[in-house]
Amino acid sequence: METSIDTLPDLDLSPDTLAQALRSLTVNLRSLIEQGADAHKVYEQVASLISSLPDIKGVATYLSDESRDGSISWRCEAQGGDAPDLNASGDTIRQWPITCDAQAIGRLITETRRPLSMDTEEFVRECVHYLSVAIERERLSSRIRHFNDRLEVLNEINQLIASKVGLQKTLKNLAREAAFRFSADCTLACMLSDEGTTLDIHGSYGCAPDATPASVALQDSLFGRALRLGGIFSVPELVIAQGHGMQWLVEMGIVSVHCCSLGAKGEILGAILLGFRKPVFLTDQEGAMFEEFARAAGVAVANAKSQERLRSYAEQLEDLVQQRTADLAVQTARAEEANKAKSRFVANISHELRTPLTAIIGYSSVLADGVFGTINDKQKDALTSITRSSEHLKELIDDVLDISRIESGKEDAKPSKIELAGLLQQIQKLMMQTALGKGVKLLPLEISEDAKTAQLWVDTRHIRQVLINLMSNAVKYTEPGGTVQLHASVVGDKAQIGVKDSGVGISAQQMEKLFERFNRGDDSYSRSQTGTGIGLSLTKRLIEINGGKIGVESEHGKGSHFWALIPLADV
């Protein structure tokens, strides 16, 4: 016999035929659930099937709801035939518990005409089982929808955080998202003021701008209680409630509000408020979602606040850099002008000094030679001293002029080829008399085989001045009886020219500032020698503008070794 899911033949069936029909109905009911039918449709289908059974007079499905205060209420989801009441009792009344997750969530109540056959009773049990399955599927679907909603909220706020928009725009976006997400008639996103006494409204949705205050006092207000208690603070009826501090919302027609604080890392940042024009109670799932939305919003607000601080710091730093750059440009211009003025002054004063010095040297030499008449020995010694001192002063003036030209960029190297061995021999002969006069032994010149044929690519005047300065210093700071030696070798594409002496040496502290201008040795012997401390500084500058390098190894009391690397000419 052919059967369908919603009908059973209205005739007396044999037990075997009834059992076959019930099995077919069970298969069809299972197929209906597997196809994802709506739970309410399953309730009605089960009631229709059971009420069509010969032994059943009426059936009703009741499900329970637990309110927030813990009380239980019942609702009838579906019924068929002469539906029995929830509290019906008697011999013909059977109650079949409906369970989900091992908890009783409802009852299927039947009123029978006669005792149920085993097949009918088994079919009813199957129907109750499928009711439980349908309810569990509906709850799982609801949870999945809830989780999807939560993920959407978190994704939207994550996108808001990633967009790095300003604080004001972030709060406006949060207010709009909250309104759409919770179907609120109006929303407010507020920031706690720096003083902590008010909440400043930065974002709103569904509120007339002229009807919304710029800030709300926390004392004796809904916002204040929400920040103090944390979590969600709800007022179902604003008109009835007292001391909420939201009269302006009442005037806008808002009936109920729900408020939650915004925070991040233990710091309260503000609050967000949902307003409705009718009484609205948040379910547990909606409340959990609102709290989660507020937590994520707090992170977004904290991030936007940090971004604004960084932007403010960056702008301040940029302004400071621009100001300091402008100041530096002014100071640089002044320094350059002062340097030019100094160079002009040094050149002028040096010229003015050299002119009379030339006359002094010339006339003192002529007088010492007896050209203008015979002089005695004391007069000759005095004239010789004048000549020597004048020549020393002239050398100092020449050094100052050279330093001035180098610093002003006017001293350029004019390199040419010069034979290394011949140059060193000239310097050796030139310094021989100076060394003998000091009582210092000048050791034979030491030149490696490859250096004997080498040619330097250097400014001739510069290299002569460098070598004379190094040799003069070596003789000057070597006590009588000591030795000085000039040597040279080839190192790669450069010639290394060195001057070794057995003089007083240089201390480690003195080495740090050895090539600075006007720097001189601090031991008693060095202080007793004449000089201004310009020589080594000038020597270093002259070597560097010729593409070379200078170095020194020394130990106090054990002599010094100065060396210079000078470029070789291409062969």
Side-chain angles (χ1 to χ4, degrees):
M1 178 181 293
E2 185 177 351
T3 60
S4 67
I5 189 155
D6 56 355
T7 126
L8 195 64
D10 187 14
L11 48 90
D12 291 333
L13 300 174
S14 66
D16 291 341
T17 303
L18 178 63
Q20 182 180 355
L22 292 177
R23 283 195 295 272
S24 177
L25 291 175
T26 301
V27 171
N28 291 340
L29 182 60
R30 181 170 64 244
S31 176
L32 180 69
I33 292 175
E34 288 175 350
Q35 292 171 8
D38 179 71
H40 192 71
K41 183 177 181 180
V42 176
Y43 302 154
E44 292 179 343
Q45 191 68 59
V46 167
S48 175
L49 289 174
I50 293 177
S51 64
S52 67
L53 296 174
D55 298 340
I56 301 296
K57 182 179 180 182
V59 62
T61 300
Y62 293 93
L63 297 181
S64 63
D65 286 321
E66 184 176 358
S67 62
R68 292 193 175 188
D69 60 6
S71 60
I72 303 296
S73 61
W74 295 85
R75 68 181 188 277
C76 181
E77 290 290 345
Q79 57 185 6
D82 295 332
D85 186 74
L86 176 68
N87 299 316
S89 60
D91 294 339
T92 60
I93 300 298
R94 292 281 301 272
Q95 295 199 9
W96 312 77
I98 303 172
T99 62
C100 182
D101 294 333
Q103 291 184 346
I105 59 169
R107 304 171 192 170
L108 185 143
I109 303 176
T110 59
E111 185 175 357
T112 62
R113 292 187 177 93
R114 53 183 176 269
L116 300 179
S117 66
M118 290 181 59
D119 290 330
T120 301
E121 187 163 340
E122 181 63 26
F123 176 72
V124 174
R125 292 185 192 279
E126 289 280 348
C127 288
V128 171
H129 167 70
Y130 287 125
L131 282 176
S132 298
V133 171
I135 293 170
E136 186 169 1
R137 286 171 65 98
E138 182 184 35
R139 289 190 172 186
L140 287 174
S141 297
S142 176
R143 289 175 187 170
I144 290 172
R145 286 193 300 271
H146 175 67
F147 287 135
N148 284 337
D149 288 342
R150 290 172 63 186
L151 287 174
E152 286 181 11
V153 169
L154 294 176
N155 183 53
E156 288 165 358
I157 294 181
N158 282 337
Q159 290 178 356
L160 187 62
I161 293 172
S163 64
K164 297 182 179 180
V165 298
L167 180 61
Q168 187 75 18
K169 191 172 182 180
T170 297
L171 290 166
K172 287 182 178 179
N173 288 341
L174 288 174
R176 187 185 67 250
E177 290 293 338
F180 290 159
R181 184 59 54 188
F182 301 101
S183 302
D185 295 307
C186 80
T187 53
L188 300 173
C190 312
M191 281 293 295
L192 187 64
S193 65
D194 294 336
E195 298 79 14
T197 57
T198 61
L199 276 175
D200 300 330
I201 300 175
H202 289 273
S204 64
Y205 188 85
C207 304
D210 55 348
T212 305
S215 60
V216 180
L218 292 179
Q219 188 174 5
D220 300 327
S221 72
L222 168 65
F223 279 125
R225 288 191 285 275
L227 295 186
R228 284 196 304 272
L229 299 176
I232 301 174
F233 194 87
S234 301
V235 179
E237 294 282 350
L238 276 177
V239 177
I240 300 174
Q242 299 293 324
H244 51 67
M246 298 286 177
Q247 189 59 35
W248 50 278
L249 281 176
V250 176
E251 294 171 359
M252 291 170 55
I254 300 301
V255 174
S256 62
V257 295
H258 304 276
C259 183
C260 191
S261 60
L262 301 176
K265 297 181 179 180
E267 179 187 4
I268 298 297
L269 301 173
I272 192 161
L273 178 140
L274 307 177
F276 301 88
R277 289 190 170 89
K278 60 183 180 180
V280 173
F281 295 88
L282 298 180
T283 65
D284 290 340
Q285 285 188 348
E286 290 170 338
M289 187 183 297
F290 187 30
E291 286 186 329
E292 191 161 20
F293 179 89
R295 283 195 295 271
V299 174
V301 169
N303 181 70
K305 202 172 179 182
S306 298
Q307 291 291 334
E308 283 210 343
R309 286 200 197 101
L310 288 175
R311 277 193 290 269
S312 176
Y313 293 153
E315 289 172 0
Q316 292 177 14
L317 182 59
E318 186 176 352
D319 291 342
L320 187 61
V321 168
Q322 290 178 351
Q323 181 182 348
R324 292 292 183 267
T325 302
D327 293 344
L328 183 60
V330 171
Q331 296 298 329
T332 301
R334 290 176 180 173
E336 289 177 353
E337 184 60 32
N339 190 53
K340 290 178 181 178
K342 179 203 70 173
S343 298
R344 288 193 298 269
F345 171 77
V346 170
N348 292 336
I349 196 68
S350 298
H351 176 72
E352 295 299 326
L353 288 173
R354 290 176 73 179
T355 301
L357 273 176
T358 303
I360 293 172
I361 293 171
Y363 281 111
S364 59
S365 298
V366 170
L367 289 171
D369 291 339
V371 174
F372 296 112
T374 304
I375 59 174
N376 58 39
D377 292 339
K378 287 184 178 181
Q379 291 172 330
K380 186 174 183 178
D381 290 341
L383 289 171
T384 302
S385 179
I386 292 172
T387 302
R388 186 166 53 250
S389 298
S390 298
E391 288 176 345
H392 176 64
L393 183 57
K394 183 176 179 296
E395 290 174 359
L396 294 180
I397 292 172
D398 288 340
D399 287 345
V400 170
L401 279 174
D402 289 336
I403 285 284
S404 178
R405 283 197 301 271
I406 291 172
E407 289 183 345
S408 63
K410 294 179 180 179
E411 182 69 19
D412 296 323
K414 299 178 179 61
S416 61
K417 290 183 179 181
I418 180 172
E419 187 182 337
L420 174 59
L423 172 66
L424 297 184
Q425 290 168 0
Q426 291 176 17
I427 299 300
Q428 180 88 346
K429 291 177 181 179
L430 183 64
M431 295 303 301
M432 188 70 71
Q433 189 61 38
T434 304
L436 289 174
K438 180 73 184 293
V440 173
K441 184 179 181 181
L442 206 60
L443 297 178
L445 181 63
E446 185 179 293
I447 306 178
S448 64
E449 287 300 321
D450 50 0
K452 290 179 180 178
T453 57
Q455 289 186 321
L456 302 178
W457 182 252
V458 68
D459 187 301
T460 304
R461 185 175 65 86
H462 291 171
I463 191 61
R464 286 177 61 84
Q465 189 171 355
V466 164
L467 295 178
I468 290 172
N469 283 351
L470 292 177
M471 289 292 286
S472 297
N473 275 354
V475 172
K476 182 188 297 183
Y477 294 104
T478 300
E479 296 176 336
T483 60
V484 173
Q485 184 177 35
L486 181 62
H487 67 87
S489 61
V490 174
V491 180
D493 61 347
K494 290 182 173 60
Q496 185 182 56
I497 305 173
V499 178
K500 293 181 181 179
D501 65 63
S502 61
V504 295
I506 306 167
S507 65
Q509 294 81 1
Q510 190 68 16
M511 288 274 271
E512 296 177 1
K513 48 186 178 179
L514 183 64
F515 294 101
E516 294 179 6
R517 283 182 297 170
F518 311 115
N519 177 62
R520 301 191 63 201
D522 53 6
D523 59 280
S524 58
Y525 184 80
S526 297
R527 286 195 297 269
S528 67
Q529 304 302 308
T530 59
T532 60
I534 295 177
L536 281 180
S537 176
L538 176 61
T539 298
K540 182 174 183 293
R541 297 292 187 90
L542 291 175
I543 290 173
E544 289 174 349
I545 66 174
N546 280 275
K549 181 180 178 182
I550 189 171
V552 60
E553 293 102 27
S554 181
E555 187 176 345
H556 185 61
K558 295 185 178 180
S560 303
H561 176 209
F562 283 85
W563 52 264
L565 291 174
I566 306 298
L568 291 171
D570 295 333
V571 179

